[in-house]
C-alpha cells in the first residue's frame, strides 16, 4: 500500500443536530487526512465532537455536510447497505463498554463478524480464524467461556479479537480503556500498538493524556473544531510502561 | 449473511433466552394443540353419529302412519293407517324398492325361569334382516317357512339375553314366555349398539310377522313399514313410488293429504351431521382464537426482545450487518419460535387426543387437514407477527442503537 496516500480524507465535515427548534453543530467544518498505518488519538473534553467525528469516520453516522473519502472512494452518496459492507470489509470497532453479546461465549462473539460474510468462510475456516484472533489477544484458554465469566480486560480483549477477525484496514477504538484500571489499560493499549505495528491503522478516541501518549499523532477537538494536530515524535510503548508498574500480588479485575 | 448462518444466529439468540423462548412458544403450543384436539373431538363425534345411523341400515326408508284426524281432533302418534296390503302393493309395483317389511310390535313381560324382563316383541318379515343388516351370532334367523306356519319362534338381542340369561348360558333352543305365549329362541342377534337418537337397538325380540300379528296383536294395522332401496341413488325414486303405492292403496284423492310419512336415513343423517359440523367449527374457532392470542404473544416478546437487544443490534450493525441481515435474523427467530412451537403443539395435540380416546372413551378423529392448517397458521403467525418488530430493529440507526441504555 502506498503509505503516502491518505486512507481517510475528510473535507469540510459538518454535523448538525436539531432538537426542540434549536440547532446544534457538533462538528464545524473539519478537514483532516489520515495516512495508512497511522496511530491517531482524537482528544478533547466531552461534547467537543470527538466521538461524533469518530462515528462519522467509522461510517456509523453520516455528515450533514461535507465529503468523506475512504480509500479513494467518496462515501457520502453511498447507501446504508453499502456503508454496512464498508464496515464489514475494512473496519474494526472497539467500544468503551465492550459491546459483547451477553450469555455468549468468547468464540461466538469473535466469530460474529464472519457470519455476515455470506458463504465466504466455511465452518472450519471460521474456527481457525477465531482461534488465531483469540491467540493474538492472549485469550486462547478462554475460548468457550461465556463473556460474563470474563474480567473487564478480558472482555475488551475479546472485543479486540472481534475487531481484528476481518483483518481490517482501520481499527476504531472509542475510549477502549475507559472502563479499565491502569494496568489493564496498558495491556489493552499494548495489544492495540502491536496491531498498529503490524500495519493496521488505528483511530483512538480518548480524553486521557497518558493513553494518547501511546499514539503517533494527537488531534485535539474543541467545540466541533480541531484545536491542534501534532505528531507525537516519541510515542510511548504501552508494553514498556506496563512493566514499570508495580505488580499486584493479586490482580483485581475491573468491570 | 447466508441462510445457514442466519439460522445459526437465530438459534443461538433463542437458546440464550431459553425460558423466554419457551414461554413465548407456550401460547402457540396450546393454540395448535387445542385446534387439533377440538377438531379431532368434533370430527370424531360426527363420525360416531354417522356410524350409528348407518348401523340402522343403509338406504333404509321408514314409512310411519300419520295420526288420524277424527272430527278435527288429531289422535296423536302411532296412528293406524298402514296395513299389510300396503306392503303387498309396494312389493308388486315399486321397482326401486328392494326389500320391504312391516313391523308390528307389542310390549310384554318376558319370562325365563326366575328371570323376567319387559321389552317389545316385533313381528317382521325375513326381508327385515336385509334392511336392518341383521344376522344371527348364535343359532339362526327365522325363515319364510316359520312365517307361513306361524311358528312360535323368536330371536333375541344382546340386552334381552343378558337379562334373561345372566349366567351366560346358551339361550338357543330355550323356550321363553312372551306374556302368556311360549316362544322358542332360535337365534341371538348381532350387536347394534345405541341408535343415533339413543335407543338401545339390542333390547329387541324379533319373531315372524304372522306369529305376532295373529297370536298377539290381532289387528290389521302395522306400526311401521321398513323398506330399503336397491342403492343410494334409487332412494328418491323408491320414496316417490312408495308414496304413490300407499296413496293408491288408501284410495286418497289428489286433494287429500298423505296419511303417512316417509323418512329416509339420509334426511336424518343430514340434520344430525349439520349440527355436529357446526359444533366442530365452533370448537375449532375457539381454539383458533387461542392460536391468534399465541401469535400476539410472539409479537409482544419480539418487541420486548428488540428493545432489550437494541445495543446488540447496534453492535451487529457496527461490525457489518446490513439492515436486511438484522431484519431477517429477527424474522427467522419469530419463524423458528412459531414453527418449533407448532411441531410441539401438533405432537402434544395428537398425544392428548389419544389420551382422551383412551381414558374418556370418546371417539376422536385427527384429520391431516387440521395438522396442515395449524402448521400453515404457525408459519403465517411467525412471519406476520415477527415482521413489525423486525422492521423496527432493522431501521435502527447504528449510533442510536449503540448508545441505547
Amino acid at each position: 500500500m502506498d503509505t503516502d496516500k491518505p486512507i481517510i480524507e475528510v473535507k469540510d465535515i459538518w454535523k448538525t443536530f436539531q432538537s426542540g427548534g434549536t440547532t446544534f453543530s457538533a462538528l464545524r467544518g473539519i478537514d483532516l487526512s489520515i495516512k495508512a498505518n497511522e496511530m491517531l488519538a482524537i482528544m478533547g473534553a466531552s461534547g467537543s465532537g470527538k466521538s461524533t467525528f469518530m462515528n462519522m469516520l467509522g461510517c456509523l453516522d453520516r455528515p450533514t455536510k461535507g465529503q468523506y473519502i475512504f480509500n479513494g472512494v467518496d462515501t457520502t452518496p453511498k447507501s446504508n447497505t453499502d456503508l454496512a459492507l464498508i464496515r464489514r470489509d475494512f473496519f474494526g470497532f472497539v467500544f468503551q463498554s465492550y459491546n459483547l453479546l451477553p450469555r455468549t461465549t468468547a468464540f461466538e462473539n469473535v466469530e460474529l463478524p464472519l457470519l455476515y460474510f455470506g458463504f465466504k468462510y466455511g465452518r472450519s475456516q471460521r474456527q481457525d480464524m477465531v482461534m488465531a484472533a483469540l491467540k493474538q489477544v492472549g485469550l486462547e484458554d478462554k475460548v468457550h467461556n461465556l463473556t460474563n465469566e470474563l474480567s473487564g480486560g478480558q472482555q475488551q480483549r475479546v472485543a479486540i479479537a472481534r475487531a481484528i477477525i476481518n483483518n481490517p484496514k482501520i481499527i476504531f477504538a472509542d475510549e477502549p480503556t475507559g472502563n479499565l484500571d491502569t494496568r489493564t489499560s496498558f495491556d489493552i493499549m499494548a495489544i492495540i500498538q502491536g496491531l498498529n505495528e503490524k500495519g493496521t491503522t488505528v483511530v483512538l478516541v480518548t480524553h486521557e493524556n497518558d493513553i494518547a501518549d501511546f499514539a503517533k499523532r494527537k488531534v485535539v477537538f474543541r467545540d466541533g473544531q480541531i484545536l491542534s494536530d501534532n505528531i507525537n515524535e516519541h510515542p510511548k510503548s504501552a508494553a514498556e510502561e506496563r512493566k514499570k508498574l508495580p505488580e499486584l500480588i493479586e490482580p483485581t479485575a475491573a468491570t | 449473511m447466508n441462510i445457514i448462518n442466519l439460522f445459526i444466529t437465530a438459534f443461538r439468540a433463542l437458546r440464550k433466552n431459553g425460558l423466554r423462548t419457551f414461554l413465548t412458544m407456550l401460547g402457540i403450543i396450546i393454540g395448535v394443540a387445542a385446534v387439533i384436539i377440538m377438531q379431532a373431538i368434533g370430527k370424531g363425534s360426527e363420525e360416531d353419529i354417522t356410524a350409528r345411523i348407518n348401523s340402522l341400515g343403509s338406504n333404509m326408508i321408514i314409512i310411519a302412519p300419520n295420526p288420524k284426524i277424527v272430527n278435527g281432533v288429531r289422535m296423536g302418534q302411532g296412528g293406524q293407517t298402514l296395513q299389510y296390503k300396503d306392503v303387498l302393493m309396494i312389493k308388486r309395483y315399486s321397482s326401486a324398492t328392494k326389500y320391504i317389511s312391516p313391523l308390528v310390535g307389542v310390549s310384554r313381560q318376558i319370562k325365563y325361569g326366575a328371570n323376567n324382563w319387559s321389552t317389545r316383541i316385533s313381528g317382521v318379515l325375513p326381508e327385515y334382516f336385509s334392511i336392518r343388516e341383521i344376522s344371527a351370532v348364535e343359532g339362526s334367523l327365522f325363515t319364510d317357512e316359520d312365517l307361513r306356519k306361524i311358528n312360535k319362534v323368536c330371536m333375541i338381542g344382546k340386552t334381552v339375553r343378558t337379562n334373561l340369561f345372566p349366567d351366560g348360558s346358551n339361550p338357543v333352543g330355550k323356550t321363553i314366555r312372551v306374556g302368556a305365549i311360549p316362544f322358542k329362541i332360535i337365534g341371538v342377534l348381532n350387536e347394534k349398539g345405541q341408535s343415533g337418537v339413543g335407543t338401545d337397538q339390542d333390547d329387541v325380540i324379533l319373531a315372524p310377522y304372522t306369529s305376532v300379528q295373529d297370536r298377539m296383536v290381532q289387528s290389521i294395522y302395522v306400526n311401521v313399514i321398513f323398506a330399503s332401496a336397491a342403492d343410494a341413488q334409487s332412494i328418491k325414486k323408491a320414496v316417490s313410488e312408495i308414496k304413490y303405492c300407499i296413496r293408491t292403496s288408501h284410495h286418497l284423492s289428489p286433494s287429500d293429504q298423505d296419511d303417512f310419512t316417509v323418512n329416509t336415513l339420509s334426511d336424518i343423517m343430514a340434520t344430525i351431521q349439520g349440527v355436529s359440523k357446526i359444533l366442530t367449527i365452533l370448537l375449532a374457532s375457539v381454539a383458533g382464537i387461542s392460536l391468534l392470542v399465541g401469535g400476539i404473544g410472539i409479537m409482544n416478546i419480539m418487541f420486548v426482545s428488540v428493545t432489550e437487544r437494541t445495543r446488540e443490534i447496534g453492535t451487529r450493525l457496527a461490525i457489518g450487518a446490513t439492515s436486511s441481515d438484522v431484519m431477517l435474523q429477527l424474522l427467522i427467530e419469530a419463524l423458528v419460535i412459531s414453527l418449533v412451537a407448532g411441531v410441539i403443539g401438533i405432537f402434544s395435540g395428537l398425544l392428548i387426543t389419544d389420551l382422551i380416546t383412551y381414558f374418556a372413551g370418546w371417539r376422536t378423529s385427527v384429520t391431516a387437514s387440521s395438522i396442515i392448517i395449524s402448521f400453515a397458521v404457525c408459519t403465517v403467525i411467525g412471519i406476520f407477527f415477527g415482521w413489525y418488530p423486525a422492521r423496527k430493529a432493522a431501521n435502527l440507526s447504528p449510533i442510536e442503537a449503540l448508545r441505547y441504555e
Side-chain angles (χ1 to χ4, degrees):
Chain A
M1 189 187 295
D2 181 3
T3 46
D4 291 336
K5 206 179 160 199
I7 189 165
I8 281 176
E9 229 181 327
V10 166
K11 291 174 182 165
D12 191 27
I13 287 265
W14 287 72
K15 180 71 185 179
T16 308
F17 296 104
Q18 304 264 352
S19 72
T22 59
T23 51
F24 164 74
S25 292
L27 298 175
R28 304 155 177 268
I30 306 275
D31 291 288
L32 190 75
S33 68
I34 302 171
K35 289 200 272 281
N37 204 20
E38 273 200 277
M39 181 159 173
L40 179 88
I42 301 176
M43 301 193 61
S46 66
S48 60
K50 60 184 190 302
S51 284
T52 308
F53 185 63
M54 198 208 79
N55 290 336
M56 209 79 69
L57 295 184
C59 290
L60 292 169
D61 207 352
R62 292 166 179 278
T64 315
K65 205 182 100 184
Q67 215 182 11
Y68 169 29
I69 296 158
F70 167 72
N71 214 14
V73 181
D74 185 4
T75 65
T76 324
K78 296 274 186 193
S79 70
N80 283 342
T81 303
D82 285 337
L83 293 185
L85 296 181
I86 289 175
R87 293 195 295 269
R88 184 190 76 176
D89 293 337
F90 301 111
F91 296 166
F93 289 92
V94 179
F95 302 99
Q96 178 175 359
S97 47
Y98 329 128
N99 281 9
L100 301 177
L101 301 196
R103 283 162 296 199
T104 308
T105 63
F107 183 93
E108 286 171 340
N109 267 289
V110 177
E111 185 191 23
L112 196 59
L114 298 182
L115 296 178
Y116 290 102
F117 278 92
F119 289 101
K120 190 171 173 188
Y121 302 111
R123 199 183 156 86
S124 61
Q125 202 182 353
R126 290 203 302 265
Q127 171 110 13
D128 294 344
M129 291 168 79
V130 172
M131 295 311 276
L134 282 169
K135 193 166 183 204
Q136 209 173 336
V137 298
L139 279 182
E140 58 268 44
D141 55 336
K142 303 282 185 193
V143 176
H144 296 295
N145 285 52
L146 294 176
T147 50
N148 53 353
E149 296 165 358
L150 301 176
S151 70
Q154 287 169 335
Q155 290 191 43
Q156 193 60 299
R157 281 195 271 169
V158 173
I160 292 173
R162 184 178 66 188
I164 61 175
I165 190 81
N166 58 343
N167 197 18
K169 277 191 161 35
I170 307 180
I171 286 179
F172 294 100
D174 190 356
E175 305 270 14
T177 60
N179 286 357
L180 303 173
D181 61 74
T182 314
R183 264 170 207 81
T184 324
S185 294
F186 287 8
D187 284 339
I188 294 298
M189 287 313 297
I191 295 172
I192 292 176
Q193 273 189 327
L195 293 171
N196 179 245
E197 273 156 28
K198 285 179 190 151
T200 314
T201 310
V202 174
V203 177
L204 175 74
V205 168
T206 183
H207 61 272
E208 293 171 72
N209 252 316
D210 49 349
I211 295 298
D213 283 343
F214 298 126
K216 295 173 183 167
R217 178 180 170 193
K218 290 188 203 177
V219 177
V220 181
F221 273 61
R222 182 189 282 172
D223 296 333
Q225 287 178 314
I226 294 177
L227 185 70
S228 66
D229 182 354
N230 298 315
I231 300 294
N232 184 3
E233 298 290 351
H234 306 289
K236 287 184 187 167
S237 158
E240 295 296 323
E241 295 298 315
R242 172 70 175 83
K243 281 178 195 161
K244 289 181 197 165
L245 292 172
E247 202 55 55
L248 290 176
I249 312 283
E250 201 163 2
T252 48
T255 47
Chain B
M1 198 183 245
N2 71 50
I3 196 76
I4 301 161
N5 292 349
L6 271 171
F7 272 97
I8 294 173
T9 316
F11 269 112
R12 279 181 187 168
L14 293 177
R15 206 184 47 205
K16 272 189 291 172
N17 295 297
L19 183 64
R20 187 175 71 191
T21 305
F22 174 72
L23 291 176
T24 315
M25 286 181 174
L26 210 54
I28 298 287
I29 293 174
I30 292 172
V32 169
V35 166
I36 289 176
I37 295 164
M38 293 304 165
Q39 200 275 346
I41 290 174
K43 189 79 188 166
S45 75
E46 197 181 310
E47 284 180 7
D48 194 33
I49 289 168
T50 309
R52 283 178 189 204
I53 291 173
N54 273 335
S55 76
L56 294 169
S58 53
N59 308 328
M60 190 165 77
I61 300 164
I62 304 165
I63 306 140
N66 272 1
K68 258 197 178 143
I69 300 172
V70 180
N71 298 332
V73 178
R74 287 162 60 92
M75 300 303 283
Q77 255 200 342
Q80 296 187 320
T81 62
L82 297 174
Q83 299 177 30
Y84 191 71
K85 64 174 177 141
D86 300 332
V87 174
L88 294 176
M89 190 80 155
I90 295 165
K91 224 173 193 171
R92 189 168 304 160
Y93 294 110
S94 169
S95 60
T97 306
K98 197 173 177 193
Y99 300 113
I100 185 154
S101 165
L103 184 145
V104 283
V106 283
S107 280
R108 287 287 185 273
Q109 203 67 21
I110 321 289
K111 281 163 273 180
Y112 178 77
N115 300 307
N116 70 100
W117 179 249
S118 174
T119 191
R120 266 176 97 76
I121 178 163
S122 300
V124 293
L125 304 183
E127 283 182 31
Y128 183 76
F129 307 141
S130 306
I131 299 169
R132 297 291 308 270
E133 290 165 0
I134 285 170
S135 58
V137 287
E138 282 170 56
S140 59
L141 301 168
F142 62 75
T143 59
D144 283 334
E145 200 188 336
D146 292 317
L147 196 76
R148 233 181 5 258
K149 291 182 172 170
I150 321 182
N151 280 340
K152 290 181 279 185
V153 293
C154 69
M155 282 111 54
I156 59 173
K158 190 189 160 231
T159 309
V160 177
R161 180 196 174 155
T162 44
N163 282 290
L164 289 185
F165 302 91
D167 57 350
S169 62
N170 189 356
V172 176
K174 307 272 165 53
T175 299
I176 54 174
R177 280 185 182 277
V178 179
I181 303 165
F183 271 81
K184 186 180 167 197
I185 299 171
I186 58 164
V188 177
L189 302 170
N190 57 329
E191 208 175 320
K192 304 222 84 177
Q194 282 200 341
S195 73
V197 288
T199 50
D200 183 358
Q201 298 186 81
D202 296 320
D203 190 9
V204 290
I205 299 179
L206 293 183
Y209 171 73
T210 47
S211 309
V212 179
Q213 171 80 1
D214 288 3
R215 297 179 190 279
M216 306 177 88
V217 183
Q218 288 151 354
S219 149
I220 59 163
Y221 295 107
V222 302
N223 294 86
V224 61
I225 299 172
F226 286 91
S228 75
D231 49 51
Q233 285 73 42
S234 52
I235 290 178
K236 264 211 166 104
K237 185 168 177 244
V239 168
S240 66
E241 284 175 357
I242 287 169
K243 280 187 176 168
Y244 183 78
C245 287
I246 299 179
R247 284 184 72 87
T248 311
S249 165
H250 288 188
H251 307 295
L252 297 176
S253 68
S255 62
D256 287 335
Q257 283 193 336
D258 287 348
D259 57 359
F260 59 94
T261 310
V262 181
N263 281 317
T264 61
L265 275 186
S266 47
D267 298 339
I268 302 169
M269 192 123 71
T271 311
I272 298 178
Q273 277 179 341
V275 173
S276 75
K277 267 220 171 65
I278 290 171
L279 186 77
T280 308
I281 292 169
L282 211 72
L283 289 173
S285 3
V286 171
I289 290 170
S290 70
L291 198 55
L292 181 77
V293 173
I296 294 171
I298 286 196
M299 182 161 72
N300 286 343
I301 295 293
M302 291 311 290
F303 255 122
V304 172
S305 170
V306 164
T307 314
E308 195 183 283
R309 288 157 65 191
T310 303
R311 278 173 73 96
E312 176 195 324
I313 291 163
T315 308
R316 289 179 185 273
L317 289 169
I319 62 173
T322 60
S323 312
S324 47
D325 286 335
V326 170
M327 172 128 183
L328 274 175
Q329 183 197 332
L330 288 167
L331 214 51
I332 285 177
E333 281 183 25
L335 203 60
V336 166
I337 286 181
S338 46
L339 289 187
V340 171
V343 171
I344 298 174
I346 286 169
F347 281 106
S348 28
L350 293 177
L351 182 74
I352 295 169
T353 304
D354 277 352
L355 291 179
I356 286 174
T357 309
Y358 185 77
F359 286 110
W362 294 0
R363 182 173 181 150
T364 53
S365 169
V366 177
T367 54
S369 68
S370 75
I371 294 176
I372 294 167
I373 286 172
S374 49
F375 203 74
V377 168
C378 281
T379 318
V380 172
I381 281 178
I383 294 173
F384 185 79
F385 289 109
W387 179 267
Y388 189 60
R391 216 185 53 145
K392 190 188 161 203
N395 287 343
L396 284 171
S397 126
I399 281 300
E400 274 160 33
L402 279 170
R403 278 207 203 110
Y404 187 86
E405 293 296 332

